[in-house]
Amino acid sequence: MFQTNLAMKAPCMASQVCEDEQRQKKQNIRSLTMSGHVGFESLPDQLVNRSIQQGFCFNILCVGETGIGKSTLIDTLFNTNFEDHDSSHFYPHVRLKAQTYELQESNVRLKLTIVNTVGFGDQINKEESYQPIVDYIDAQFEAYLQEELKIKRSLCTFHDSRVHVCLYFISPTGHSLKTLDLLTMKNLDSKVNIIPVIAKADAISKSELQKFKIKLMSELVSNGVQIYQFPTDDETIAKINSAMNAHLPFAVVGSMDEVKVGNKMVKARQYPWGVVQVENENHCDFIKLREMLICTNMEDLREQTHTRHYELYRRCKLEELGFKDVGPENKPVSVQETYEAKRHEICGERQRREEEMKQMFVQRVKEKEAILKEAERELQAKFEHLRRVHQEERMKLEEKRRLLEEEITAFSKKKATSEIYQSQSFVGTGSKKDKDRKKDQGCRFEVLCFDVRSHETSGGQTDAEGS
């Protein structure tokens, strides 16, 4: 099998050498030997001096339930008191609080940003407790991307607030991960380097702790959660990083209290049954976490954040905007060409929408005109009906007026005839009964005349209204 592997690897190595030679010939690069000292071997020293002069930044995101010991562990990690106030358990929503500090060790300056999740896991409905964390990480990526896309950039002086590492604090239940923990880590693993830690590890025994670690790692693997693995490509740190990857997740204890153990003061937690030393590897993994996080892999965490997580966000964001590296025929496309193509696409979309709006406007105008015409026809029909009714009423009034006039004329003639007859036949005679009868006839005649005049007046007003 060994000979077979060698036989298979030999052609591959030969083809790789040939490809390297061809690539070198294409690039027209020649390797030369120098006959004396030049001085560019000091380039690493120059880089170190510039980095020390500019300083470094490191951003830590602490995710965990309230009261699990996030602030205490951070204080213990950097051996200082960040004066973080206690948080309440009654916040309606999860919010993130970021605080930046300037630290200096020897001649190295570090701008440290601690982002704490306030109220995480305290709500009754924990369905979207992770969403504010995802939004915060994306907002920091977006701020850096906008600074990169500026015409006049100032990345050297720009405060890089991108999260470099997420310390995810797990409760020492000894059973399994909570659903909230799995959902949160699953939504964060593609955006930030996750290092799971078991907080308050002195709450369970060593045997239970070891079983708990194995169960946690199996659950993370079975649910497809990608946590940060310490790099093993560097020969100087490959061995220690490989050993530390086997210890994940770290079981830690934090405390700033000093207890006298033997002849020296150490950071520890005092209990009635004994003392738990923070920096004792037999008691917890605090030393391992500090060594891996700060002393050995801090620069790798910063590099992974930029080259992996930020580049993924940047690529997705630019692809959403329509920018691509290659065209339809797999040919390189410049930013100008992509911009022009996107511009023509947007202009075409705008014209199409304008045409749709115009057609919609014309259609609505036609519908409105049809509605107005129908209303006009209804009003015209109603007007004709009212006019016919008015004409019929006017004709009836005219007929009634004519009949009244005929009655008045006949009554006048009758009255005149009766007066003549009375004056000829009963001159100077007549009883009181006859006089009362004549008076009553005169009153009725006056009432009839008044009715005729009132009908004439009402008829005149009707005619005026009709006209």
Side-chain angles (χ1 to χ4, degrees), residues 84-135:
D84 192 9
H85 301 288
D86 295 337
S87 299
S88 174
H89 289 268
F90 303 101
Y91 289 105
H93 304 288
V94 179
R95 62 185 184 91
L96 280 83
K97 183 175 65 175
Q99 292 180 334
T100 303
Y101 308 93
E102 289 281 353
L103 303 178
Q104 185 168 355
E105 188 176 25
S106 298
N107 61 339
V108 178
R109 292 179 295 107
L110 178 66
K111 184 182 289 186
L112 178 66
T113 301
I114 307 297
V115 185
N116 195 4
T117 53
V118 180
F120 182 80
D122 292 337
Q123 293 76 29
I124 296 177
N125 184 7
K126 302 179 179 63
E127 184 176 0
E128 295 184 356
S129 296
Y130 62 86
Q131 193 59 44
I133 306 174
V134 175
D135 295 340

Side-chain angles (χ1 to χ4, degrees), residues 143-161:
Y144 193 87
L145 177 61
Q146 293 301 323
E147 184 65 25
E148 267 193 341
L149 296 177
K150 285 183 180 179
I151 297 175
K152 187 178 179 181
R153 301 181 297 178
S154 58
L155 293 176
C156 296
T157 59
F158 178 74
H159 179 211
D160 186 5
S161 59

Side-chain angles (χ1 to χ4, degrees), residues 203-234:
I204 53 178
S205 63
K206 282 190 174 181
S207 59
E208 291 176 346
L209 182 61
Q210 193 61 31
K211 294 178 182 178
F212 189 38
K213 283 186 175 183
I214 296 173
K215 193 165 188 179
L216 290 181
M217 291 304 296
S218 64
E219 286 185 351
L220 292 175
V221 172
S222 61
N223 287 278
V225 178
Q226 299 292 328
I227 63 174
Y228 175 73
Q229 295 290 322
F230 302 115
T232 58
D233 51 355
D234 189 355

Side-chain angles (χ1 to χ4, degrees), residues 176-195:
S176 61
L177 284 171
K178 299 177 182 178
T179 305
L180 176 62
D181 297 332
L182 287 173
L183 284 174
T184 304
M185 284 193 278
K186 184 63 178 177
N187 284 274
L188 293 180
D189 61 356
S190 62
K191 299 178 180 294
V192 68
N193 303 310
I194 300 176
I195 298 180

Side-chain angles (χ1 to χ4, degrees), residues 173-377:
T173 59
H175 300 289
S176 61
L177 284 171
K178 299 177 182 178
T179 305
L180 176 62
D181 297 332
L182 287 173
L183 284 174
T184 304
M185 284 193 278
K186 184 63 178 177
N187 284 274
L188 293 180
D189 61 356
S190 62
K191 299 178 180 294
V192 68
N193 303 310
I194 300 176
I195 298 180
V197 295
I198 301 173
K200 298 182 179 181
D202 54 341
I204 53 178
S205 63
K206 282 190 174 181
S207 59
E208 291 176 346
L209 182 61
Q210 193 61 31
K211 294 178 182 178
F212 189 38
K213 283 186 175 183
I214 296 173
K215 193 165 188 179
L216 290 181
M217 291 304 296
S218 64
E219 286 185 351
L220 292 175
V221 172
S222 61
N223 287 278
V225 178
Q226 299 292 328
I227 63 174
Y228 175 73
Q229 295 290 322
F230 302 115
T232 58
D233 51 355
D234 189 355
E235 295 179 357
T236 58
I237 58 174
K239 186 176 180 180
I240 186 173
N241 280 348
S242 299
M244 291 300 110
N245 284 329
H247 282 83
L248 289 173
F250 293 126
V252 297
V253 175
S255 176
M256 290 296 290
D257 300 332
E258 292 188 352
V259 179
K260 188 174 183 180
V261 178
N263 296 325
K264 60 179 182 178
M265 302 295 292
V266 296
K267 290 184 175 64
R269 300 185 72 88
Q270 181 76 51
Y271 292 101
W273 46 262
V275 177
V276 177
Q277 300 179 28
V278 173
E279 296 180 348
N280 189 338
E281 294 191 29
N282 294 323
H283 292 180
C284 67
D285 298 331
F286 175 79
I287 292 293
K288 297 182 179 65
L289 175 63
R290 186 174 63 184
E291 192 74 20
M292 291 295 99
L293 181 65
I294 300 175
C295 302
T296 307
N297 298 301
M298 180 182 284
E299 183 58 32
D300 183 73
L301 288 167
R302 287 158 40 90
E303 184 181 355
Q304 286 291 323
T305 299
H306 182 77
T307 59
R308 180 186 170 193
H309 301 295
Y310 171 69
E311 286 298 324
L312 176 62
Y313 176 85
R314 177 179 176 274
R315 183 174 73 246
C316 295
K317 200 69 176 179
L318 293 179
E319 286 178 353
E320 288 178 3
L321 297 175
F323 292 96
K324 296 181 181 179
D325 293 331
V326 294
E329 299 177 357
N330 292 329
K331 293 182 179 180
V333 180
S334 64
V335 177
Q336 183 67 25
E337 292 176 354
T338 306
Y339 170 76
E340 292 295 334
K342 194 68 178 177
R343 181 173 174 273
H344 288 308
E345 180 182 353
I346 293 174
C347 290
E349 182 70 16
R350 186 188 64 184
Q351 291 179 358
R352 184 181 64 81
R353 289 187 178 182
E354 286 181 356
E355 291 296 329
E356 290 180 356
M357 291 179 67
K358 288 180 180 179
Q359 294 177 2
M360 188 181 298
F361 178 75
V362 171
Q363 182 68 22
R364 289 186 177 180
V365 168
K366 290 181 179 179
E367 293 176 357
K368 196 68 176 178
E369 288 180 351
I371 292 172
L372 291 175
K373 288 182 179 179
E374 182 67 23
E376 185 179 357
R377 285 194 295 269

